[in-house]
């Protein structure tokens, strides 16, 4: 509130003083400029305060005019207009000019003064002029002079004051223009009024003196305050003289304007000089303090010495390096911290008249006796006390150690590059060779000094091993693209001696620590031998070792290529799956060496039968696959395959052994039988298995029916597996009777499958079970049930024998006899009451293995019978090497027996043979009484067939045993 009071009182003192000299309308108009004085009082007040203050001021001014008998409507209107102008300007500045000293530019401040101060003041002044001209007869020139001069002069001189406010804000005004400044201004205004009233010359001199003294004794802020006040006062004084002395108007205006302008400009120059001197002094003082502070706290090694070499000042860095406090270092000779050699060198330069000098590798001694190697740079400068030297010391101990380390690393690097097994070639950024290690020199047969500076492509002529095309510009590309590069595959190099080397590895840019590329380095390995080995391994991976033909892996790749090419070119090709018939028998009987020799000869014949565009490969074992490209029709393929089979089948001479070979083939044609590699292979394989079943040396084309058979076979395998799980396999029994009495002596177990309510015979599932490796589980289930039934029958008929058919695949298993005996023991069945039947064909095909198996069976009391005797082998010499108990005459020989004995003599021969071998003889398939009589008369021991009984269930056999009569009688009874 003091601040507001001081400004208002100052304004009222000026206005009232002026009004008492000239209480006219022109005086009130000229006070428009002085009214701007109130901006400093009201700028930081609320609108209510502004209105209240301006109302009070207007009332005071009105009271003064009333006291002077000059109050009228015109004067009152002019006073109100002046107050409104002040309020409006304050509002404009507060609302639209946001004070921010860090962001306001001079241009924006000046623009704001013109927009928010000058233009509003002129507008309100124009309103006042219009009122005066309308209600009085005063000359227009006089009215305009009073308004424009008063307002313009006040604004011109008061601009620094307004700038101070615009740039710093009202808070600045409150803190700077305090009570003493306002009081000083009041005193000055009083004196200026007195001088103006006395003489304009005295007013001019006083104005200049006032401005200069305000700058000298105070500062620019006081100058602003005074100038603002004097501007308003001068405008009022000018109008006063203008009104009372028209003849002296020009002289008065000239003196007033000149005195204010000269005084203000002179004051500005004085203030500027004073400011520069003060600023320079402050800068020098600050610089001295900053230098001293920086010098003392600097981590660098700095010190000053006088002309005698005594240390004057030291930095913290030097004190830390020496290891002593700064207080103990000052005043000591600098040479105390040097070695003897360093003292001589330093003394020589210190006595020199040069202004600066340098010493390299100067050695200092620390308080702990450690040696520091430094570079010294000295600058001589003069001081009031004499010549001093400023010394800059750079510790290079670490640099020296680093240089030694780098030298060692360089030596180690050279040794390493010389010792590694890879070749190394370095180039510069222009791909010119700069270095080669010994391995690279050995490969290229040249020394580094011979090729240094030559282009890389000339020194290292690279090329592709397959295409023989040169490989150029690798180092240029690597440097340009700033990236590591692998050498292309199959890269080779040929030196000037025409020696070729296969190489591999990479090329990389060479970087400095700052990331700059200075060249490229190529590291390579001689992989000539490994590449040859790789080719061999690749060949082995894709070709059969025995025959050299493409293997399954390469066949799949070529078959896929055939499919793609056939699709693109719209032609057909054939896949032929070939299998050697009974190769396993040849391999087992004659040995693997003979089998391998046979495979080689077969591969050679196959290769000779095909065109160069076709492919023959070995799938493994005795299976071969042919790819016949670009075929026209099935008829053409049939002719080709028939020709191949005729060529491959036939006699082979193998190590003095002749082998007759037959082959089977299956054919699938693209795209009729499949459009993919897997489909064609599958269908050709299916056709081949069909060919093996039809006849030897036969081929079959694939058809949809074959797939149906294969699907049926898969379904049947699944059903058999489920049947085993659900115990659907049951034994049936066919009686074997005494040939004379027809009494029951033996039962042959026969397999049946109770599936979906139907009873299936062995011919419907045994072959499928064998192929699916399920025959063992089927037989195990049948034997378990049969032994259970047979155990109960033995209690009633101890001499009864159970005959079971066992596959050779089961008999040759090492654990079969033990498992079989355990089953007999479990059901309390004596081994002597069990007979195992083996077909003649399977027995002879595994003769060597079966000899020991039969002996083992006999040793445990189990009987052995040869089934289907006379149907499977042309030579009977094997009989003397085997131990067996029974021969069973096959039913096809028995069926030939009629009343004419000559027609069935082969069955009688077998009966007589059994008698001579002293083994039991059983005739199968007896269907008539005549056949039974003939066999009995010939001496056959036992008979079996539908004449006596069909295979029966266990319950039916119970009835026969309970009857205890001959089979013929029991059949009559039943």
């Amino acid at each position: 509130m003091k601040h507001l009071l001081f400004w208002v009182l100052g304004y009222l003192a000026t206005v009232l003083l002026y009004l008492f000299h000239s209480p006219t309308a022109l005086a009130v108009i000229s006070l428009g400029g002085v009214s701007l004085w109130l901006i400093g009082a009201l700028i930081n007040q609320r609108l209510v305060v502004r209105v209240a203050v301006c109302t009070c001021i207007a009332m005071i001014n009105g009271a003064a005019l009333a006291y002077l008998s000059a109050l009228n409507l015109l004067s009152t209107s002019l006073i109100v207009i002046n107050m409104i102008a002040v309020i409006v300007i304050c509002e404009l500045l507060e609302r639209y000019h946001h004070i921010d000293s860090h962001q306001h530019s001079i241009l924006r401040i000046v623009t704001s003064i013109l927009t928010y101060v000058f233009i509003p003041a002129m507008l309100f002044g124009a309103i006042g002029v219009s009122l005066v001209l309308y209600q009085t007869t005063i000359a227009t020139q006089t009215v305009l002079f009073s308004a424009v001069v008063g307002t313009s002069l006040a604004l011109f001189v008061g601009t620094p004051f307004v700038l101070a406010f615009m740039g710093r804000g009202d808070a600045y005004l409150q803190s700077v223009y305090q009570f003493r400044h306002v009081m000083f201004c009041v005193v000055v205004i009083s004196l200026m009024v007195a001088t103006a009233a006395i003489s304009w010359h005295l007013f001019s001199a006083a104005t200049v003196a006032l401005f200069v003294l305000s700058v000298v004794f105070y500062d620019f802020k006081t100058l602003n305050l005074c100038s603002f006040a004097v501007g308003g006062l001068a405008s009022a004084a000018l109008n006063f003289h203008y009104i009372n002395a028209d003849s002296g108007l020009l002289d008065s205006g000239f003196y007033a304007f000149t005195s204010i302008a000269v005084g203000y400009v002179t004051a500005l120059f004085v203030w500027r000089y004073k400011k520069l001197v003060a600023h320079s002094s402050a800068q020098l003082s600050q610089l001295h303090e900053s230098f001293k502070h920086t010098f003392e706290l600097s981590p660098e090694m700095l010190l000053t010495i006088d002309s005698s070499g005594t240390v004057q000042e030291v930095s913290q860095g030097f004190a830390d390096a020496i290891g002593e406090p700064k207080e103990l270092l000052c005043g000591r000779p600098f040479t105390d911290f040097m070695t003897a050699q360093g003292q001589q060198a330093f003394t020589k330069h210190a006595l020199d008249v040069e202004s600066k000098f340098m010493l390299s590798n100067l050695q200092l001694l620390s308080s702990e006796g450690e040696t520091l190697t430094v570079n010294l740079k000295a600058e001589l400068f003069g001081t009031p006390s004499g010549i001093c030297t400023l010394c800059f010391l750079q510790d290079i101990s670490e640099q020296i150690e680093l240089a030694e380390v780098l030298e060692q690393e360089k030596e180690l690097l050279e040794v390493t590059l010389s010792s590694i097994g890879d070749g190394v070639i370095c180039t510069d950024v222009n791909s010119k060779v700069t270095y080669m290690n010994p391995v690279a020199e050995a490969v290229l047969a040249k020394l580094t000094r011979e090729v240094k500076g030559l282009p890389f492509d000339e020194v290292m002529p690279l090329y592709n091993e397959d295409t023989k095309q040169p490989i150029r510009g690798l180092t240029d590309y690597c440097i340009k693209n700033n990236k590591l590069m692998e050498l292309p595959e199959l890269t080779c190099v040929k030196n000037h001696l025409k020696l070729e080397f296969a190489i591999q590895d990479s090329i990389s840019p060479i970087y400095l620590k700052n990331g700059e590329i200075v060249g490229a380095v190529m590291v390579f390995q001689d992989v000539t031998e490994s590449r040859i080995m790789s080719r061999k391994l690749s060949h082995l991976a894709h070709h059969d070792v025995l025959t050299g033909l493409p293997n399954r892996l390469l066949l799949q790749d070529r078959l896929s290529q055939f499919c793609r090419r056939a699709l693109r070119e719209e032609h057909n090709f054939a896949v032929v799956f070939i299998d050697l018939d009974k190769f396993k028998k040849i391999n087992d009987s004659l040995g693997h060496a003979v089998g391998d020799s046979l495979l080689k000869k077969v591969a050679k014949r196959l290769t000779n039968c095909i065109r160069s565009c076709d492919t023959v490969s070995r799938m493994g074992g005795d299976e071969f696959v042919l790819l016949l490209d670009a075929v026209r029709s099935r008829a053409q393929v049939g002719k080709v395959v028939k020709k191949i089979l005729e060529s491959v089948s036939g006699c082979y001479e193998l190590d003095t052994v002749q082998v007759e070979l037959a082959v089977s083939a299956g054919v699938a044609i693209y795209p009729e039988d499949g459009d993919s590699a897997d489909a064609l292979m599958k269908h050709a394989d299916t056709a081949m298995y069909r060919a093996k079943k039809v006849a030897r040396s036969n081929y079959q084309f694939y058809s949809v029916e074959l797939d149906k058979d294969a699907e049926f076979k898969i379904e049947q395998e699944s059903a058999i597996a489920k049947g085993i799980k659900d115990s659907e396999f049951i034994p049936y029994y066919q009686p074997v009777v005494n040939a004379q009495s027809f009494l029951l002596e033996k039962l042959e177990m026969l397999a049946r499958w109770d599936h979906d309510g139907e009873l299936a015979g062995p011919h419907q599932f045994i072959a499928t079970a064998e192929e699916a490796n399920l025959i063992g589980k089927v037989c195990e289930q049948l034997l378990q049930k049969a032994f259970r039934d047979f155990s109960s029958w033995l209690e009633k008929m101890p001499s009864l024998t159970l005959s079971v058919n066992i596959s050779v695949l089961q008999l040759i298993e090492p654990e079969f006899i033990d498992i079989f005996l355990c089953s007999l023991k479990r059901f309390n069945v004596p081994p002597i009451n069990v007979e195992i039947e083996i077909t003649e064909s399977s027995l002879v095909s595994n003769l060597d293995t079966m000899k020991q198996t039969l002996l083992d069976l006999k040793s445990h009391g189990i009987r052995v019978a040869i089934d289907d005797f006379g149907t499977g082998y042309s030579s009977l010499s094997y009989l003397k090497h085997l131990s067996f108990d029974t021969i069973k005459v096959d039913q096809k020989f028995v069926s030939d027996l009629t009343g004419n004995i000559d027609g069935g003599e082969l069955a009688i021969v077998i009966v007589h043979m059994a008698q001579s071998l002293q083994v039991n003889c059983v005739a199968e398939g007896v269907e008539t009484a005549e056949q039974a009589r003939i066999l009995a008369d010939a001496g056959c021991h036992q008979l079996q067939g539908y004449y006596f009984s069909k295979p029966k269930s266990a319950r039916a056999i119970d009835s026969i045993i309970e009857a205890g009569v001959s089979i013929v009688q029991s059949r009559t009874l039943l």
Side-chain angles (χ1 to χ4, degrees):
M1 188 59 68
K2 289 181 180 180
H3 170 74
L4 176 62
L5 181 61
F6 291 152
W7 286 85
V8 172
L9 291 177
Y11 168 77
L12 289 175
T14 304
V15 171
L16 293 176
L17 182 63
Y18 179 69
L19 290 177
F20 272 93
H21 282 82
S22 178
T24 63
L26 289 178
V28 178
I29 289 177
S30 65
L31 288 174
V34 180
S35 299
L36 297 179
W37 167 273
L38 294 175
I39 294 175
L42 301 177
I43 191 65
N44 62 337
Q45 303 297 329
R46 292 179 300 167
L47 178 61
V48 177
V49 177
R50 291 171 186 163
V51 173
V53 171
C54 290
T55 302
C56 293
I57 292 174
M59 293 174 65
I60 293 172
N61 290 337
L65 290 174
Y67 176 78
L68 298 173
S69 301
L71 181 63
N72 52 44
L73 180 61
L74 178 60
S75 300
T76 303
S77 300
L78 293 176
I79 292 173
V80 172
I81 289 172
N82 288 341
M83 294 300 101
I84 292 174
V86 172
I87 294 173
V88 170
I89 292 173
C90 288
E91 286 295 320
L92 290 174
L93 290 175
E94 183 177 13
R95 290 177 180 273
Y96 300 107
H97 180 78
H98 301 288
I99 300 170
D100 188 347
S101 59
H102 298 287
Q103 297 181 358
H104 271 47
S105 64
I106 296 298
L107 178 61
R108 183 173 178 184
I109 292 173
V110 172
T111 303
S112 297
I113 290 175
L114 292 174
T115 305
Y116 306 130
V117 179
F118 184 78
I119 294 176
M122 286 300 178
L123 289 175
F124 281 100
I127 295 172
V129 169
S130 300
L131 289 175
V132 173
L133 293 177
Y134 179 74
Q135 297 185 11
T136 65
T137 58
I138 303 175
T140 301
Q141 179 181 5
T142 303
V143 176
L144 289 175
F145 179 85
S146 297
V148 174
V149 171
T151 302
S152 300
L153 189 59
L155 288 174
F156 169 74
V157 181
T159 296
F161 171 80
V162 178
L163 285 174
F165 158 72
M166 300 286 283
R168 307 291 290 275
D170 60 310
Y172 171 75
L173 298 179
Q174 294 182 34
S175 63
V176 173
Y177 297 104
Q178 299 176 0
F179 177 75
R180 63 179 183 273
H181 302 126
V182 178
M183 294 306 296
F184 172 77
C185 189
V186 171
V187 174
V188 169
I189 291 174
S190 301
L191 294 175
M192 295 303 297
V193 170
T195 56
I198 297 171
S199 171
W200 276 108
H201 297 285
L202 183 61
F203 174 78
S204 299
T207 299
V208 174
L210 172 64
F211 286 167
V212 174
L213 290 176
S214 65
V215 169
V216 172
F217 291 102
Y218 290 94
D219 203 345
F220 188 68
K221 58 181 178 290
T222 308
L223 172 63
N224 290 334
L225 189 62
C226 292
S227 65
F228 198 37
V230 170
L233 181 62
S235 64
L238 283 173
N239 283 282
F240 176 78
H241 283 275
Y242 175 73
I243 295 170
N244 294 282
D246 290 340
S247 60
L249 176 63
L250 295 177
D251 293 336
S252 300
F254 176 77
Y255 286 136
F257 186 81
T258 304
S259 61
I260 293 173
V262 172
Y264 190 72
V265 172
T266 304
L268 285 177
F269 277 110
V270 172
W271 171 79
R272 183 61 179 167
Y273 174 76
K274 178 183 177 182
K275 200 70 175 178
L276 289 174
V277 172
H279 182 68
S280 300
S281 177
Q283 280 190 326
L284 289 174
S285 177
Q286 183 180 3
L287 182 62
H288 177 73
E289 292 296 327
S290 177
F291 173 77
K292 183 177 181 181
H293 183 73
T294 303
F295 182 89
E296 292 179 350
L297 298 181
S298 174
E300 303 295 332
M301 299 173 63
L302 306 174
L303 73 157
T304 59
I305 58 177
D306 58 15
S307 57
S308 63
T310 302
V311 176
Q312 301 295 315
E313 294 178 333
V314 296
S315 66
Q316 187 63 44
F318 183 81
D320 293 340
I322 299 300
E324 294 185 11
K326 291 188 289 185
E327 295 78 8
L328 299 179
L329 297 177
C330 296
R332 296 172 57 184
F334 183 34
T335 54
D336 287 355
F337 311 109
M338 303 180 190
T339 61
Q341 183 179 3
Q343 291 176 2
Q344 294 179 359
F346 179 77
T347 304
K348 174 182 177 182
H349 281 282
L351 297 176
D352 202 338
V353 295
E354 294 181 358
S355 61
K356 59 182 178 180
F357 62 90
M358 296 180 63
L359 284 176
S360 299
N361 297 328
L362 179 65
Q363 291 187 336
L364 303 181
L365 294 174
S366 67
S367 60
E368 297 179 356
E370 297 180 356
T371 301
L372 301 176
T373 304
V374 299
N375 285 337
L376 182 145
K377 182 178 180 181
E379 292 280 352
L380 299 174
F381 62 94
T383 64
S385 59
I387 299 298
C388 287
T389 304
L390 176 62
C391 298
F392 301 86
L393 304 177
Q394 181 185 8
D395 187 359
I396 60 173
S397 302
E398 293 184 0
Q399 297 180 10
I400 294 175
E401 293 178 1
L402 181 60
E404 294 176 355
V405 171
L406 289 176
E407 186 64 29
Q408 294 175 359
E409 290 182 353
K410 179 181 178 182
E411 183 178 354
L412 178 62
L413 179 60
E414 291 181 354
V415 172
T416 302
L417 292 176
S418 301
S419 302
I420 62 176
D422 294 347
V424 179
I425 300 181
C426 298
T427 71
D428 58 17
V429 292
N430 297 317
S431 295
K432 300 295 181 64
V433 175
T434 58
Y435 172 79
M436 294 195 309
N437 74 339
V439 175
E441 291 178 339
V443 170
L444 298 177
K446 285 189 176 182
L447 300 176
T448 301
R449 64 173 180 270
E450 296 176 315
V451 300
K452 192 171 185 179
L454 296 179
F456 175 83
D457 292 335
E458 179 181 337
V459 177
M460 196 78 174
L462 305 177
Y463 65 94
N464 184 277
E465 184 176 4
D466 286 346
T467 64
K468 305 302 180 183
Q469 293 296 320
I471 302 174
R472 301 180 180 276
L474 293 181
T475 54
D476 293 333
Y477 183 84
C478 173
I479 294 171
K480 181 179 179 180
N481 293 276
N482 187 20
K483 67 176 183 179
L484 174 69
M485 291 179 52
E486 299 290 337
L487 289 180
E489 293 185 4
L490 304 179
T491 299
C492 291
V493 62
K494 181 186 293 185
N495 62 20
H496 70 285
L497 300 178
K498 305 302 180 182
L499 298 177
E500 298 181 0
F501 298 88
I503 61 173
Q504 68 177 18
D505 220 319
S506 60
I507 300 177
S508 173
I510 301 176
Y511 300 96
L512 295 180
K513 288 185 177 180
N514 59 4
E516 180 184 358
I517 297 177
V518 295
V521 57
M522 174 181 176
V523 180
F524 65 90
Q525 300 172 349
D526 181 4
V527 293
T528 305
E529 294 183 1
S530 63
R531 190 171 292 177
I532 294 174
M533 183 60 67
S534 176
R535 290 179 180 273
K536 291 182 178 179
L537 292 176
S538 177
H539 184 272
L540 291 176
H542 294 85
H543 292 79
D544 178 50
V545 177
L546 179 63
T547 62
L549 297 176
N551 60 9
R552 182 188 300 269
L553 182 64
L554 185 54
L555 174 67
Q556 289 290 336
D557 180 66
R558 290 191 180 179
L559 185 52
S560 299
Q561 294 180 15
F562 268 56
C563 290
R564 289 193 293 268
R565 188 171 65 253
L567 177 63
R568 183 174 61 253
E569 299 177 1
E570 298 184 352
H571 69 256
N572 302 338
F573 69 90
V575 179
V576 184
F577 213 108
I578 296 178
D579 183 81
L580 309 186
D581 295 337
K582 297 185 178 180
F583 175 75
K584 186 177 185 302
K585 181 178 179 181
I586 298 173
N587 215 18
D588 294 342
S589 60
L590 300 179
H592 291 285
V594 176
D596 291 345
S597 179
L598 176 61
L599 291 173
K600 291 180 182 178
K601 290 183 178 293
V602 170
K604 187 174 181 180
R605 290 192 185 184
L606 287 173
T607 304
N608 294 334
C609 291
I610 63 173
R611 302 165 296 177
S612 60
C613 62
D614 300 331
T615 296
V616 57
S617 67
R618 183 189 176 202
M619 292 288 289
D622 60 343
E623 295 179 337
F624 296 84
V625 175
L626 275 65
L627 303 181
L628 305 180
D629 195 17
V631 297
R632 294 188 299 273
S633 63
R634 284 180 176 263
Q636 180 197 8
V637 176
K639 292 180 181 179
V640 174
V641 173
K642 185 176 181 180
K643 176 183 176 183
I644 292 173
L645 295 184
E646 290 175 353
S647 176
V648 175
S649 302
C651 184
Y652 286 82
E653 295 285 342
L654 304 173
D655 297 335
T656 68
V657 178
Q658 288 187 355
V659 175
E660 190 70 24
L661 183 65
V663 297
S664 300
V667 183
I669 297 179
Y670 174 94
E672 300 173 16
D673 302 330
D675 57 0
S676 66
D678 292 339
L680 290 170
M681 289 291 290
K682 175 185 175 183
H683 294 161
D685 189 30
T686 302
M688 185 270 293
Y689 276 104
R690 175 66 176 173
K692 289 178 72 70
K693 291 181 179 180
V694 173
R696 297 179 62 186
S697 293
N698 182 44
Y699 70 91
Q700 292 288 319
F701 283 96
Y702 168 78
S703 64
V704 178
E705 288 73 15
L706 295 181
D707 263 351
K708 292 180 179 178
D709 293 342
E711 291 176 2
F712 173 76
K713 187 175 180 181
I714 293 173
E715 292 176 358
Q716 192 177 35
E717 289 178 359
S718 176
I720 291 173
K722 186 176 183 300
I724 294 172
K725 182 179 179 181
D726 297 340
S727 189
E728 295 178 353
F729 295 94
I730 57 176
Y732 263 51
Y733 306 94
Q734 187 174 28
V736 180
V737 302
N738 185 281
Q740 302 299 328
S741 63
F742 294 167
L743 292 175
L744 177 64
E745 292 183 346
K746 185 186 299 184
L747 294 170
E748 181 180 1
M749 185 199 74
L750 300 174
R752 294 292 185 269
W753 182 15
D754 186 4
H755 180 59
D756 291 339
E758 296 182 1
L759 202 63
H763 62 281
Q764 294 177 280
F765 64 87
I766 290 296
T768 303
E770 287 180 344
E771 291 179 4
N773 292 324
L774 297 174
I775 189 64
K777 294 182 179 181
V778 172
C779 288
E780 180 182 357
Q781 190 174 113
L782 291 170
L783 289 175
Q784 296 293 326
K785 295 179 179 180
F787 288 159
R788 185 184 298 110
D789 296 337
F790 188 64
S791 176
S792 63
W793 295 332
L794 284 177
E795 295 177 358
K796 302 173 183 178
M797 193 175 181
S799 61
L800 188 63
T801 300
L802 179 66
S803 179
V804 296
N805 292 278
I806 301 297
S807 170
V808 174
L809 297 176
Q810 293 178 274
L811 283 173
I812 62 178
E813 291 181 359
E815 299 178 355
F816 171 77
I817 295 178
D818 294 336
I819 295 174
F820 192 81
L821 291 173
C822 287
S823 297
L824 293 176
K825 185 176 181 181
R826 175 185 175 188
F827 293 99
N828 199 24
V829 176
I832 193 66
N833 290 87
V834 178
E835 182 179 72
I836 292 178
E837 293 187 13
I838 308 170
T839 60
E840 181 189 24
S841 58
S842 62
L843 177 65
V844 175
S845 62
N846 298 275
L847 189 60
D848 295 336
T849 306
M850 292 304 299
K851 286 181 181 179
Q852 186 60 43
T853 303
L854 296 180
L855 289 175
D856 292 342
L857 291 173
K858 295 288 290 182
S859 66
H860 290 92
I862 300 174
R863 301 176 185 181
V864 177
I866 300 178
D867 195 11
D868 300 336
F869 187 82
T871 61
Y873 209 70
S874 59
S875 174
L876 299 178
S877 60
Y878 71 92
L879 294 175
K880 64 181 179 180
H881 300 295
L882 298 177
S883 176
F884 57 94
D885 301 283
T886 301
I887 290 178
K888 300 190 72 172
V889 183
D890 190 78
Q891 62 180 356
K892 69 180 180 179
F893 300 135
V894 174
S895 64
D896 293 336
L897 291 175
T898 61
N900 184 4
I901 193 65
D902 294 337
E905 62 181 6
L906 188 55
I908 303 303
V909 169
I910 294 174
V911 171
H912 292 165
M913 184 183 297
Q915 291 175 347
S916 64
L917 292 173
Q918 298 181 354
V919 295
N920 185 39
C921 182
V922 178
E924 294 181 307
V926 178
E927 297 182 355
T928 65
E930 183 67 20
Q931 292 174 347
R933 183 188 63 78
I934 293 172
L935 289 169
D937 293 344
C940 184
H941 301 101
Q942 294 175 330
L943 303 176
Q944 178 183 358
Y946 281 6
Y947 175 70
F948 302 102
S949 174
K950 293 182 178 181
K952 297 181 179 296
S953 65
R955 180 176 298 180
I957 298 297
D958 283 339
S959 301
I960 294 175
I961 293 177
E962 288 290 342
V965 295
S966 68
I967 293 298
V968 176
Q969 291 175 332
S970 67
R971 182 179 60 192
T972 303
L973 294 174
L974 294 174

